[in-house]
Amino acid sequence: MNVKRVTLFAGHYGSGKTNIAVNYALYLRSLGLPVALGDLDIVNPYYRAKDSQAELEAAGIRVIASAYANSNVDVPAIPQEMYALTEDRQTHAVLDIGGDDRGALALGRYMPAIAEENNYAFVFVYNRSRPLTRDAKSALAIMREIEAACGLPFTGIVNNTNLGRETVPETILASIDSVRELEQLSALPLLFTAVRSDLAPLLPHDIGEIFPIALQKTIW
Amino acid sequence: MAEKILMKGNEALAEAAIMAGCRHYFGYPITPQTEVAAYMAKRMPKIGGTFLQAESEIAAINMVIGAAAAGKRAMTSSSSPGISLKSEGISYMAGCDLPGLIVNVQRGGPGLGGIQPSQSDYFQATRGGGHGDYHLLVLAPSSVQEMADLVFKGFDLSEKYRIPCMLLADGTMGQMMEPVSLPERSAETVEKPWALTGTEGKRKPNIINSLALAPHELEAWNQVRFERYAQIKENEQMSESYWMEDAEICVVAFGIAARVSQNAIDTAREMGIKAGMIRPITLWPFPEKALRAASAQCKAFVSVELNMGQMIEDVRLSIKCRRPVSLCCRTGGMIPTPDEVVAAIVKANEGGKQA
């Protein structure tokens, strides 16, 4: 994988950006790199990168998130520390961008610094199992809306097609055609396919790079 | 069955409502149910339906009354404080014998409370909530799939019995994502000879009203309505049993609390404790029959709730206090852990009292 200094994950609401961002930050850390993860989600009141804060910090990853995330303070907020992600160029930054174009608006203020440094990957996370991105054309429309909102063009695609705990290899295989079409329509490369780690060995080798991920645990 | 897709609870219930023939949604945003309104705002204009963000919750419920009186499948959704605002209108719906779906994706209370999940509107939902003698049909989903399935059920029963229906979910149910298979079925059509559809000069005007000028008339309306309630209690109790065949300890839990409890029961079984669960799906009518049957077999009951202990009263009433009932609860947006539920089961099994 071609690692950039800044990696931003955005995509349709519920595409799995947060989980990918958390797993990618852990991956970078496992390479021995200094890593910080920024939770730029101003849309979701529940299920955020902050849920994984203890695990990330135990791995030595700095987590930058609103003090209000997961609290009862229902305001979209971004802490000033978020600027560290663009200012501290010795640390690898992973950003979890909120859902859809509304979520991507928050990225706008960091965009000039990210574009100026020009060492970033802006990744579109795609899940074909979501109702509003069942085909490449509808995914492309969302991609364009996000780009318009934040002013940054995407540089690659991650296939994160899944049905949560019910994901089977066929779930992912059913997405291959849509992903290939999305690659063509957008002229962007597929960077990897994210797969729950126990499913990774069950997939064929000709679908590109496989990125094994762990799911966040729940008590239900 | 359709291919499964991954949906948020709030999205699934919104799409199910559309599939069930609802074309009239009136709402007002509030966390954690805002996605319902957002979804309806995107979908309704594309299918010739009406999405209207009202100026307040009170306006929204009164719009539901209007659409329902015209014989249309109408709905609104909100979260706890918003439901309190709607309660006056809900009472009017009950008084007018109007069907309709009211979704409550509960958050912590009382007052402004918080935005995290809760089940603390149980009393409000099952006792009526607004003023006057009435009930709502109250359905409690415990998965995203059920968020969709119970929307169909809710509309159908609501129209069959001319009673407003409340889907009582919580923030976790609304926000969680799970695979869903949306049913491929057409909406059940119920004849509504009472609806205000225009007389065309062929019949006397229908009147929909909750005002009775004579006390004896109001009493008679209430009595007729309660005869319908008795039919609902007799015919529509729904619950699901888990590992109840030989259970000695019966956990009673609904919604997200039932999901946590199921894990706890698995652990208790591994410890050699014969625990099982009755999960109410209808909270009103409460599944008294299932509970009563369990009271012959089980030595103790544990009510697991995301509130300070509300459903526990219905558990005690259903089993006529024949067995000890203890409470395992968290509140304020907190969820009991499986370990906490296991501890409550162990204690009940040892004969100790918790609540």
Side-chain angles (χ1 to χ4, degrees):
Chain A
M1 235 177 290
N2 183 8
V3 171
K4 300 286 187 183
R5 214 279 295 167
V6 180
T7 307
L8 310 101
F9 293 100
H12 179 50
Y13 193 56
S15 56
K17 302 169 293 291
T18 299
N19 208 19
I20 298 288
V22 166
N23 277 276
Y24 191 73
L26 288 166
Y27 163 75
L28 292 182
R29 188 72 194 112
S30 74
L31 300 179
L33 299 167
V35 181
L37 182 133
D39 178 356
L40 259 177
D41 192 336
I42 57 163
V43 177
N44 264 320
Y46 288 35
Y47 306 117
R48 305 180 48 136
K50 201 171 180 175
D51 293 335
S52 303
Q53 186 161 10
E55 184 195 358
L56 290 164
E57 287 179 351
I61 295 167
R62 179 180 179 190
V63 177
I64 305 174
S66 164
Y68 304 132
N70 291 351
S71 81
N72 281 332
V73 184
D74 195 8
V75 292
I78 294 168
Q80 62 194 21
E81 289 87 344
M82 203 66 80
Y83 284 110
L85 298 178
T86 52
E87 296 302 313
D88 174 10
R89 297 189 176 181
Q90 305 308 311
T91 299
H92 276 70
V94 177
L95 278 83
D96 175 19
I97 315 297
D100 291 348
D101 50 334
R102 290 172 300 153
L105 269 180
L107 182 58
R109 66 191 299 168
Y110 307 99
M111 194 277 291
I114 291 169
E116 182 263 322
E117 182 190 5
N118 196 24
N119 185 4
Y120 68 91
F122 186 28
V123 182
F124 181 76
V125 180
Y126 176 64
N127 181 357
R128 184 193 167 260
S129 295
R130 291 282 290 144
L132 299 181
T133 50
R134 301 286 286 155
D135 56 61
K137 286 194 181 68
S138 46
L140 185 73
I142 285 166
M143 200 182 236
R144 297 297 181 234
E145 284 171 12
I146 294 171
E147 289 176 332
C150 66
L152 200 67
F154 281 105
T155 61
I157 300 163
V158 161
N159 181 8
N160 188 42
T161 296
N162 74 88
L163 279 174
R165 293 178 202 170
E166 290 185 28
T167 312
V168 290
E170 289 70 28
T171 315
I172 298 157
L173 295 175
S175 71
I176 303 296
D177 287 348
S178 301
V179 171
R180 292 214 170 110
E181 194 185 341
L182 184 60
E183 284 184 85
Q184 283 170 1
L185 291 172
S186 65
L188 292 174
L190 173 69
L191 303 177
F192 58 79
T193 299
V195 181
R196 206 177 65 216
S197 41
D198 60 302
L199 295 177
L202 306 176
L203 286 166
H205 298 290
D206 60 350
I207 62 167
E209 188 162 352
I210 302 279
F211 182 66
I213 58 168
L215 301 189
Q216 283 178 315
K217 289 192 180 71
T218 64
I219 56 168
W220 49 80
Chain B
M1 281 299 235
E3 190 185 352
K4 283 193 174 180
I5 50 175
L6 191 67
M7 290 186 101
K8 253 191 180 203
N10 285 337
E11 295 173 331
L13 85 85
E15 184 59 35
I18 288 170
M19 293 175 79
C22 174
R23 292 292 178 278
H24 302 272
Y25 172 91
F26 309 101
Y28 191 83
I30 180 170
T31 305
Q33 67 80 51
T34 300
E35 294 84 7
V36 182
Y39 196 90
M40 290 302 194
K42 279 190 178 163
R43 287 279 281 127
M44 280 299 193
K46 291 181 184 164
I47 54 172
T50 302
F51 162 83
L52 205 150
Q53 180 173 325
E55 66 268 38
S56 71
E57 284 87 349
I58 296 170
I61 191 69
N62 280 283
M63 291 173 187
V64 172
I65 293 177
K72 301 297 183 187
R73 280 201 162 173
M75 71 176 286
T76 187
S77 61
S78 192
S79 180
S80 308
I83 296 294
S84 291
L85 280 166
K86 286 176 179 166
S87 292
E88 179 197 50
I90 295 170
S91 166
Y92 278 57
M93 281 179 84
C96 295
D97 297 314
L98 287 174
L101 184 69
I102 300 131
V103 177
N104 183 359
V105 185
Q106 297 168 91
R107 52 188 260 179
L112 199 47
I115 62 170
Q116 300 296 330
S118 158
Q119 298 178 329
S120 55
D121 303 344
Y122 180 91
F123 281 154
Q124 185 191 45
T126 57
R127 269 61 179 169
H131 61 280
D133 271 331
Y134 75 92
H135 282 292
L136 302 175
L137 188 73
V138 184
L139 306 178
S142 82
S143 66
V144 175
Q145 181 67 54
E146 227 173 39
M147 288 283 265
D149 294 345
L150 292 181
V151 164
F152 282 88
K153 186 96 186 162
F155 271 122
D156 290 349
L157 291 177
S158 174
E159 291 180 350
K160 180 178 176 189
Y161 293 102
R162 292 185 65 183
I163 176 176
C165 174
M166 179 171 282
L167 188 80
L168 192 70
D170 66 73
T172 323
M173 285 289 122
Q175 296 292 325
M176 68 161 56
M177 291 184 67
E178 286 183 330
V180 180
S181 175
L182 290 169
E184 291 178 54
R185 51 158 271 193
S186 54
E188 203 167 285
T189 47
V190 175
E191 289 295 317
K192 297 174 180 171
W194 46 265
L196 309 183
T197 52
T199 65
E200 297 176 0
K202 293 173 187 162
R203 60 166 168 82
K204 283 187 176 174
N206 288 332
I207 295 172
I208 290 177
N209 191 7
S210 64
L211 171 68
L213 295 181
H216 69 269
E217 198 180 326
L218 182 55
E219 183 185 49
W221 286 0
N222 282 328
Q223 284 167 342
V224 168
R225 190 171 299 120
F226 270 71
E227 284 165 17
R228 267 204 329 276
Y229 290 166
Q231 282 175 27
I232 297 172
K233 276 181 152 182
E234 183 56 35
N235 301 330
E236 307 298 347
Q237 294 181 17
M238 282 197 293
S239 64
E240 187 181 75
S241 293
Y242 181 68
W243 224 322
M244 280 301 291
E245 297 75 18
D246 61 343
E248 293 175 354
I249 304 298
C250 177
V251 172
V252 186
F254 67 95
I256 190 66
R259 300 271 294 254
V260 176
S261 298
Q262 190 164 328
N263 290 337
I265 286 162
D266 292 347
T267 307
R269 286 275 172 174
E270 284 165 19
M271 295 163 67
I273 300 174
K274 289 182 176 173
M277 176 167 64
I278 293 177
R279 174 173 75 87
I281 299 171
T282 51
L283 298 180
W284 195 92
F286 196 71
E288 295 168 351
K289 295 177 193 173
L291 269 286
R292 209 173 304 138
S295 71
Q297 160 197 340
C298 300
K299 64 178 182 182
F301 288 72
V302 180
S303 187
V304 183
E305 308 180 50
L306 273 65
N307 56 50
M308 292 303 288
Q310 299 188 17
M311 180 181 67
I312 190 170
E313 294 190 2
D314 285 333
V315 176
R316 286 188 175 126
L317 286 169
S318 298
I319 65 168
K320 302 194 190 308
C321 297
R322 286 171 65 187
R323 303 279 182 246
V325 186
S326 58
L327 177 68
C328 173
C329 72
R330 298 294 299 270
T331 184
M334 303 300 291
I335 300 176
T337 63
D339 286 347
E340 287 167 342
V341 180
V342 169
I345 292 171
V346 168
K347 204 161 181 177
N349 190 47
E350 289 164 356
K353 282 198 179 177
Q354 278 194 305

